[in-house]
Amino acid sequence: LLSCRLYCEEAKDPKRRSCQTVLAEALDIVVRSFAPILPHLAEEVFQYIPYKKDSEGVFRTGWINASSAWKKPGIEEAIEGACAMRDSFLGSISGKNALEYEVIIVIEPGLLFELMEALQAEETSSVSQLNEIMMASQTTLLSELPKETPADANIVKGTFLINLEGGDICEQSSYKVIARPIAKAKCPRCRRYTAESSSTPCPRCLQVLAAGKGST
C-alpha cells in the first residue's frame, strides 16, 4: 500500500501526500517514545528530519502530542473489517500472487457495507483504499452475488463484529469474498494487472505520466 502510493502516484496527489503525513507522524511518535532510553540516537534522528523547522532538539520540544484529528469514528473498524476480508482473500489463493486476481466482496446492506463504501465509493476500482488493502489488482464491492457467478466459484464466507462508540453500536455482519484471475495485462510501471497490453502503462499511470510532463 505504501509503495504504490509513494512511487506510483503523482508527486502532489492527495493520496501520496497523506501517506507521507502518516509516516512523518509515526516517525515523530516513535522517536519521542524511545528518546528517554536512547537519547543520543533519538537526538540524531530528530536533527536529520528534513521537514522539522525547529532546532531545539527532541528533549526541548515536548512529549508525544498526537492530534485528536487522527481519531475518526469508524475508520479503525473499517480498516479492521477490510483486513479480515483480505485475509479471507489471500487464504483462498494459496500463496499465489494477489495482483494476478480481482476480488469481489459481497456484503448485505448494513453498517459493514457503509464502512467499506467509505474506503471505496465506486462499485469497481483498482485505485481505491479498499483495493490497496486487499492487495489485488481490482476490487468490486456489491450488496449481492453477481448473476453470472459460476456454480463452482470459490466463495469464502466470513463474519465481522463491528463495535462502535464503546459498545453502544454493535453489529455482526457477514460477507463473501470471491477471487477470480484477472484478464488484463501487467502494467510495466505499477506492476498491477490493469493495462490493456504489457507494453503500455495502465490508465492511472498514463494519467500520472501525462501530469508529470505537463508540470515540467
Side-chain angles (χ1 to χ4, degrees):
L1 191 158
L2 293 178
S3 61
C4 184
R5 286 195 177 194
L6 290 174
Y7 300 117
C8 296
E9 300 293 353
E10 187 182 353
K12 295 182 179 180
D13 188 280
K15 289 193 292 184
R16 184 176 185 273
R17 296 292 292 152
S18 66
C19 181
Q20 292 176 310
T21 299
V22 170
L23 290 173
E25 184 73 8
L27 176 61
D28 185 82
I29 291 175
V30 169
V31 171
R32 294 181 192 278
S33 296
F34 67 67
I37 55 176
L38 295 170
H40 297 293
L41 176 60
E43 187 62 38
E44 183 176 4
V45 172
F46 197 81
Q47 292 300 328
Y48 276 93
I49 295 177
Y51 48 83
K52 287 290 183 185
K53 295 181 179 180
D54 54 69
S55 58
E56 293 184 352
V58 66
F59 292 100
R60 294 181 177 273
T61 53
W63 185 235
I64 298 169
N65 185 25
S67 171
S68 59
W70 292 98
K71 186 64 176 178
K72 294 184 178 181
I75 292 297
E76 182 178 353
E77 288 73 16
I79 299 299
E80 289 179 351
C83 287
M85 297 174 199
R86 179 192 62 195
D87 292 343
S88 297
F89 160 56
L90 295 178
S92 71
I93 61 175
S94 304
K96 297 178 182 178
N97 183 2
L99 290 175
E100 296 179 357
Y101 290 83
E102 62 173 325
V103 184
I104 299 174
I105 300 173
V106 182
I107 310 171
E108 292 185 357
L111 186 54
L112 182 59
F113 188 86
E114 293 175 3
L115 290 176
M116 293 305 105
E117 279 189 315
L119 300 177
Q120 178 169 303
E122 309 89 349
E123 183 177 284
T124 300
S125 177
S126 60
V127 296
S128 67
Q129 295 181 71
L130 179 58
N131 187 67
E132 289 179 341
I133 294 171
M134 296 303 293
M135 300 168 60
S137 280
Q138 180 175 286
T139 298
T140 299
L141 179 63
L142 301 172
S143 58
E144 59 183 16
L145 280 172
K147 295 180 179 179
E148 67 273 13
T149 303
D152 60 347
N154 183 16
I155 302 177
V156 180
K157 299 180 180 180
T159 59
F160 182 74
L161 178 62
I162 301 171
N163 195 332
L164 293 172
E165 298 183 8
D168 291 339
I169 300 176
C170 191
E171 182 177 300
Q172 178 101 4
S173 300
S174 60
Y175 62 84
K176 300 181 182 72
V177 175
I178 306 171
R180 299 194 307 199
I182 196 161
K184 294 187 177 182
K186 188 181 195 178
C187 173
R189 182 175 181 270
C190 69
R191 306 300 181 183
R192 289 185 175 180
Y193 289 77
T194 52
E196 297 302 323
S197 71
S198 58
S199 60
T200 306
C202 66
R204 187 273 300 270
C205 286
L206 286 173
Q207 183 178 355
V208 172
L209 291 171
K213 290 180 181 178
S215 61
T216 56

